[in-house]
Amino acid sequence: MKQLFLLILVVLVHFGIHSQESISLVSWNIRDFGKSKNSAELEQMAEIVRDADILAIQEVVAGYGGAQAVAKLSDILNRKGAQWDYVISDPTNSSKYVTERYAFIWKTKHIKIKNRGALIKDLAKLVDREPFCLDFYMDGEKVTVLNFHSRPHDKNPEAEIAAISAYLAKNDSHHPIILAGDFNVDENEAVFNEIKGIGFKSAISNQPTTLKHACDGHNYLNYPIDNIFYRGVRKEKGSVIDFVKVCENLEDSRKLSDHLPVHLEFQIDK
């Protein structure tokens, strides 16, 4: 009887651990993500993000080449030991030289979707590139992820952050929500107080995420403007993925992007 009890306990512990596996979300502004990226560069990107469960990409080219680059990256990831799927947003409701697409790529083993996501139309007139929203389902639990790329730092991205914060406050939800992207504003700035006031926390703080054009001594990092804000999940780890590592790699690294990916490892609060 004692042996049977121990066996049942081991099984319960095993399934308990399985159900509490962490999810890894990576958000990355991949500069000019389209036909300018060759196969070798896409292979490097795949190596950088292969351990993630969900990848949110900003700055996908709206015209020819953007969707193809996402498909190629997904195909390369599929050859690295896990099955991935992807969705690409419509072009944002923006002027010709501002419009972009967003993309999500994710591992399908434990993560499902029920639709292909949508741009948030309610924000189309308030921001230059309205966020792309997609619901992910993990062990039956829904996690909504918003993917966003703000306007440049000298064109008042604070107004866009305020508009998104107001939207999230107005459309409050009881399930987990994650806002990931390039905000062009440091998360320590006062404009983020509203979103923090409704329960959101940042994956990283005081961590530069952009790359300089040239190395300053041993420093190649610039501004802390990319982040992941989350509510309703429990952070296990928040970090950047530094694929540069040393100054000698800076020039080649900038061919991939001028931003580092931001990483959030989390569990769903139940």
Side-chain angles (χ1 to χ4, degrees), residues 32-38 61 64-66 69:
D32 192 30
F33 192 48
K35 61 183 179 181
S36 67
K37 307 301 184 187
N38 61 39
V61 172
Y64 178 78

Side-chain angles (χ1 to χ4, degrees), residues 93-217:
N93 184 34
S94 319
S95 60
K96 181 178 179 181
Y97 297 106
V98 175
T99 187
E100 297 171 0
R101 296 177 188 264
Y102 299 98
F104 286 108
I105 311 178
W106 69 95
K107 289 175 178 167
T108 60
K109 186 175 181 180
H110 299 299
I111 302 172
K112 310 299 178 186
I113 63 170
K114 295 183 180 180
N115 57 60
R116 307 298 286 180
L119 295 167
I120 300 178
K121 294 181 180 179
D122 289 353
L123 291 167
K125 294 183 179 179
L126 300 174
V127 303
D128 285 356
R129 292 176 286 255
E130 63 272 35
F132 182 49
C133 179
L134 182 62
D135 294 330
F136 293 96
Y137 292 84
M138 308 159 197
D139 291 330
E141 299 290 329
K142 181 168 78 169
V143 177
T144 297
V145 183
L146 278 63
N147 196 352
F148 177 60
H149 182 202
S150 78
R151 61 175 69 125
H153 69 92
D154 57 350
K155 298 194 175 187
N156 194 17
E158 291 84 356
E160 296 188 318
I161 294 166
I164 293 173
S165 299
Y167 171 84
L168 290 171
K170 181 180 178 182
N171 295 274
D172 200 1
S173 172
H174 296 294
H175 68 270
I177 299 179
I178 295 173
L179 171 62
D182 171 7
F183 300 91
N184 279 306
V185 179
D186 187 334
E187 66 87 22
N188 285 313
E189 295 296 326
V191 69
F192 286 107
N193 288 348
E194 181 174 358
I195 194 171
K196 291 176 181 177
I198 57 173
F200 283 83
K201 299 178 181 178
S202 62
I204 57 175
S205 183
N206 301 314
Q207 170 61 62
T209 58
T210 62
L211 304 182
K212 295 180 178 180
H213 288 274
C215 214
D216 178 13

Side-chain angles (χ1 to χ4, degrees), residues 228-243:
I228 301 172
F229 293 88
Y230 62 94
R231 187 182 68 186
V233 301
R234 185 169 66 260
K235 183 174 85 168
E236 297 290 317
K237 180 182 179 182
S239 63
V240 295
I241 302 174
D242 186 353
F243 58 90

Side-chain angles (χ1 to χ4, degrees), residues 17 23 39 54 60 75 80 85 162 175 210 216 241-242 268:
I17 291 172
I23 300 295
S39 296
I54 302 171
V60 178
D75 183 58
K80 293 185 179 293
D85 198 0
H175 68 270
T210 62
D216 178 13
I241 302 174
D242 186 353
I268 300 173

